[in-house]
Amino acid sequence: MKISTRFIVYVAALVIGSMALAQTPDVPDGWVPVTELLPLPDFIPGAGALYIQPDNAPVGPWLAYGRDGTLIEVLFMVPISQMQEAMNWDDLATGTLAELGITAIDHVDISYNGGHPGMAEPHYHFRLVLVDAATQEGALNP
């Protein structure tokens, strides 16, 4: 029986992630944890504790909190199929950033993802990171 690497990583994330969230984040009204939408753990290594306004799923914005409950990233998942259709996303994050009182972004990470629960098709993660890279790494990885 052949077990895929993707399945092993998913199971490991469920096991490790369920133990990793040390403090409940102070999440704005109307945002729900990913666990209310998908069979995922409270904390996903590398992604954090994810929250979203359900009407914005799956593209986002998603709020990614670290183990200590600190907001680390504002995340968007943009399907490659929509990029190939030349879709535009004007002013994508401004409203969310203003509502959250975010006035500075430390850096932006863009990474490819072949698909996962909640966004099965290939897509890119656009991460507006609020902290330096070392803090980001430490907060999102147990």
Side-chain angles (χ1 to χ4, degrees):
M1 181 173 162
K2 184 177 178 183
I3 299 176
S4 75
T5 302
R6 181 188 238 169
F7 177 75
I8 292 169
V9 169
Y10 177 72
V11 171
L14 288 174
V15 172
I16 294 169
S18 64
M19 301 179 291
L21 189 58
Q23 184 173 339
T24 303
D26 183 19
V27 180
D29 290 338
W31 296 75
V32 300
V34 67
T35 56
E36 288 190 17
L37 303 176
L38 299 166
L40 292 171
D42 292 333
F43 188 93
I44 302 166
L50 298 175
Y51 290 78
I52 191 166
Q53 294 171 314
D55 289 346
N56 292 331
V59 171
W62 294 82
L63 303 180
Y65 290 87
R67 294 176 298 182
D68 67 354
T70 302
L71 181 60
I72 303 297
E73 301 174 349
V74 177
L75 165 70
F76 295 89
M77 296 187 291
V78 180
I80 292 174
S81 63
Q82 291 180 2
M83 294 173 106
Q84 291 172 331
E85 293 170 7
M87 285 188 70
N88 295 318
W89 292 273
D90 295 327
D91 208 20
L92 191 59
T94 304
T96 299
L97 298 177
E99 289 171 20
L100 297 171
I102 296 169
T103 58
I105 302 295
D106 184 88
H107 63 279
V108 177
D109 292 337
I110 301 172
S111 57
Y112 172 79
N113 190 293
H116 54 70
M119 177 68 84
E121 69 178 287
H123 59 281
Y124 278 91
H125 288 179
F126 289 78
R127 299 171 182 264
L128 308 180
V129 186
L130 311 177
V131 298
D132 63 82
T135 301
Q136 174 191 19
E137 178 69 21
L140 298 181
N141 292 289

